[in-house]
């Protein structure tokens, strides 16, 4: 089992993580425990989880519908009410078993119920294992704005059992892969090259991929937990990506997944890096080509631009009414706090349209 120490907690990764989890759970033996799942983590992961932890008669399962559209205040209210119905007190433990929606939402619910109860993340998607469940950002969407309500708060433990990924479909795996590619782009050129070549895609290499991504994220977050500076590097691709994701959630019948939207955002923001920080044409092409190999081109058109810009204005990453970006100097090296004009953002969206026609 691999252990990674975070600012105030710990991530454990491997096939034998449940031994450590059972030890941690001893401290909660006499307290109420809830398990938050959606229908897919219920179907594919709950029985394994219950068997491995021996929690059969000792935990209440709360199941919600899957999907980003459920990362809302209404669902929080439903779960807070369930806690009250069961007389959950401040010593209650919430275990979040699911993808990034479950760990973001469950983390927020736990952090705010009775001014905060303990929670443990057991992520079951690639995206949640390498990114969402680690780093202490928890929150919900509001009025179609992504993650605008939330707090920084770490779980007691993050338990990563790569075996859970076996039931994840290819589209969901790729959505997580986008965040891994981002980790390479902002901090580790060799990792980017390995991912680009598909060298870590095989199930035998999942642990290595998960560990590398978490180490990269953790090394950045450790120094800047509340995102005053360096942590902004992790936002590469997310300023435009979140706007595209929010727009898609509102307008598309089959909305983009988080990683798919971020992939579009990373192409646009690589273009901004090219015009603002002299990222070379060769690396811009390498980044664009790689994302277009892994992800189907998403059709955007100029009539969406105003809505994208409006969504970006309200993105929590922007300060003082300016558009603030993390950009790449080169592959493996990111810089944060670069102001970008509306004209440049529009140009980057047009670049995306031009290469996906
Ligand atoms: N907090 C952070 O730092 C952070 C970072 C990145 C992303 N996020 C958030 O994470 C969310 C996206 O996470 P996600 O991609 O995991 O989405 P998700 O939670 O919606 O999971 C994706 C799908 O996979 C299903 N699923 C989960 N586990 C499964 C399994 N083992 N087998 C089969 N199906 C399974 C889910 O039911 C869902 O349908 C977004 O809301 C994003 O904003 C947060």
């Amino acid at each position: 089992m691999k252990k990674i120490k975070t600012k105030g907690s710990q991530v454990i990764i491997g096939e034998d993580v449940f031994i450590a989890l059972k030890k941690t759970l001893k401290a909660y033996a006499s307290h109420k425990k809830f398990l938050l799942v959606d229908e897919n983590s219920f179907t594919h992961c709950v029985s394994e989880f219950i068997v491995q932890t021996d929690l059969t008669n000792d935990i209440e399962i709360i199941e919600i519908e899957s999907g980003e559209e459920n990362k809302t205040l209404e669902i929080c209210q439903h779960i807070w009410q369930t806690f009250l119905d069961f007389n959950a007190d401040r010593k209650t433990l919430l275990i979040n078993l699911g993808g990034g929606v479950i760990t973001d939402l469950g983390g927020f619910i736990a952090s705010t119920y009775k001014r905060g109860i303990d929670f443990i993340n057991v992520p079951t998607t690639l995206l949640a294992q390498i990114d969402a469940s680690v780093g202490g950002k928890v929150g919900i969407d509001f009025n179609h704005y992504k993650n605008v309500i939330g707090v920084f708060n770490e779980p007691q433990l993050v338990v990563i059992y790569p075996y859970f990924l076996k039931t994840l479909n290819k589209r969901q795996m790729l959505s997580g892969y986008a965040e891994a590619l981002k980790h390479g782009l902002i901090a580790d050129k060799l990792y980017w090259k390995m991912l680009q070549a598909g060298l870590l895609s095989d199930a035998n290499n999942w642990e290595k991929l998960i560990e590398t991504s978490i180490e990269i994220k953790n090394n950045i977050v450790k120094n800047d937990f509340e995102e005053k500076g360096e942590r902004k590097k992790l936002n590469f691709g997310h300023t435009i990506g979140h706007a595209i994701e929010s727009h898609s959630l509102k307008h598309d019948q089959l909305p983009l997944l988080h990683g798919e939207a971020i992939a579009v955002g990373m192409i646009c923001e690589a273009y901004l890096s090219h015009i603002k920080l002299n990222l070379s044409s060769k690396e811009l092409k390498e980044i664009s080509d790689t994302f277009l190999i892994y992800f189907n081109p998403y059709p955007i058109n100029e009539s969406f631009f105003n809505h994208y810009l409006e969504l970006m204005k309200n993105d929590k990453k922007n300060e003082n009414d300016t558009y603030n970006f993390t950009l790449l100097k080169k592959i493996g090296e990111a810089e944060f706090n670069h102001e970008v004009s509306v004209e440049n953002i529009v140009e980057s969206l047009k670049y995306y349209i031009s290469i996906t026609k």
Side-chain angles (χ1 to χ4, degrees):
M1 183 179 77
K2 168 91 178 171
K3 290 183 192 173
I4 300 176
K5 223 183 131 6
T6 64
K7 185 175 171 281
S9 181
Q10 199 177 45
V11 182
I12 53 177
I13 308 163
E15 295 302 322
D16 49 352
V17 282
F18 290 108
I19 299 167
L21 175 59
K22 272 165 79 175
K23 277 193 197 143
T24 303
L25 288 174
K26 281 193 183 143
Y28 300 89
S30 59
H31 304 310
K32 286 208 168 59
K33 290 177 270 306
F34 291 87
L35 183 66
L36 181 64
V37 295
D38 65 23
E39 76 279 10
N40 297 314
S41 61
F42 181 83
T43 305
H44 299 297
C45 312
V46 163
S47 43
E48 175 84 13
F49 177 83
I50 298 283
V51 167
Q52 294 265 13
T53 51
D54 295 333
L55 280 171
T56 322
N57 299 316
D58 193 21
I59 194 156
E60 296 295 336
I61 298 179
I62 305 177
E63 182 183 328
I64 62 163
E65 259 181 61
S66 65
E68 185 71 28
E69 60 278 19
N70 295 303
K71 214 171 95 176
T72 59
L73 198 54
E74 289 72 29
I75 299 291
C76 292
Q77 286 173 329
H78 160 69
I79 296 168
W80 286 320
Q81 185 59 52
T82 308
F83 284 175
L84 288 172
D85 294 343
F86 279 89
N87 299 319
D89 60 18
R90 293 177 81 170
K91 291 186 169 159
T92 296
L93 173 72
L94 176 64
I95 303 178
N96 301 314
L97 179 73
V101 168
I102 292 290
T103 56
D104 274 16
L105 180 84
F108 178 68
I109 289 166
S111 302
T112 43
Y113 181 74
K114 298 201 171 173
R115 296 198 175 77
I117 59 170
D118 287 352
F119 66 104
I120 289 176
N121 283 341
V122 187
T124 61
T125 63
L126 181 62
L127 193 140
Q129 293 194 347
I130 65 165
D131 200 339
S133 67
V134 181
K137 274 190 184 180
V138 294
I140 55 170
D141 306 333
F142 185 66
N143 283 350
H144 298 290
Y145 291 106
K146 284 271 307 173
N147 302 333
V148 281
I149 311 291
V151 298
F152 291 99
N153 189 22
E154 283 195 282
Q156 302 309 111
L157 186 68
V158 181
V159 180
I160 298 185
Y161 185 56
Y163 177 85
F164 281 144
L165 300 182
K166 296 224 152 129
T167 52
L168 209 61
N169 66 34
K170 188 166 175 228
R171 190 173 169 222
Q172 293 290 354
M173 278 302 275
L174 275 175
S175 177
Y177 208 67
E179 294 280 13
L181 286 161
K182 180 198 76 181
H183 292 140
L185 283 178
I186 61 169
D188 186 340
K189 185 169 181 175
L190 181 64
Y191 185 45
W192 159 263
K193 289 280 180 200
M194 289 174 82
L195 293 169
Q196 193 191 18
L199 296 180
L200 300 177
S201 307
D202 186 85
N204 296 327
N205 291 311
W206 286 346
E207 251 181 79
K208 165 110 180 98
L209 184 154
I210 294 163
E211 274 174 37
T212 313
S213 266
I214 292 178
E215 297 274 15
I216 290 173
K217 178 166 184 180
N218 191 43
N219 284 338
I220 293 174
V221 170
K222 254 188 337 208
N223 300 324
D224 179 26
F225 186 63
E226 291 191 357
E227 202 172 294
K228 308 269 192 263
E230 199 192 343
R231 185 171 182 163
K232 294 181 184 175
K233 287 181 179 173
L234 291 162
N235 295 335
F236 177 66
H238 282 62
T239 305
I240 293 180
H242 270 169
I244 288 172
E245 184 181 6
S246 297
H247 182 275
S248 169
L249 277 168
K250 197 168 174 190
H251 297 284
D252 293 342
Q253 246 185 345
L254 183 64
L256 283 174
L257 300 178
H258 179 73
E260 293 170 337
I262 295 318
V264 179
M266 283 191 275
I267 294 179
C268 297
E269 295 182 22
Y271 179 82
L272 291 174
S273 306
H274 173 60
I275 56 175
K276 299 281 295 180
L277 287 191
N278 294 323
L279 175 78
S280 70
S281 310
K282 185 170 165 272
E283 291 203 325
L284 171 61
K285 184 168 177 347
E286 178 178 333
I287 295 168
S288 307
D289 288 351
T290 303
F291 283 113
L292 291 178
I293 287 169
Y294 281 109
F295 298 90
N296 291 330
Y298 173 69
I300 62 178
N301 88 50
E302 292 195 19
S303 64
F304 305 162
F305 287 6
N306 281 342
H307 189 216
Y308 290 161
L309 289 163
E310 185 196 319
L311 287 161
M312 276 177 235
K313 262 261 129 78
N314 274 302
D315 190 285
K316 63 196 177 317
K317 293 183 282 301
N318 291 317
E319 291 158 13
N320 309 326
D321 263 7
T322 58
Y323 294 98
N324 206 338
F325 281 79
T326 289
L327 300 176
L328 300 177
K329 250 182 104 129
K330 55 186 181 184
I331 291 176
E333 197 179 321
E335 282 186 3
F336 52 90
N337 280 352
H338 281 283
E339 268 185 39
V340 174
S341 66
V342 169
E343 291 71 29
N344 287 160
I345 296 172
V346 166
E347 206 181 314
S348 76
L349 290 164
K350 286 185 175 166
Y351 166 75
Y352 181 81
I353 293 174
S354 74
I355 59 166
T356 50
K357 264 206 287 231

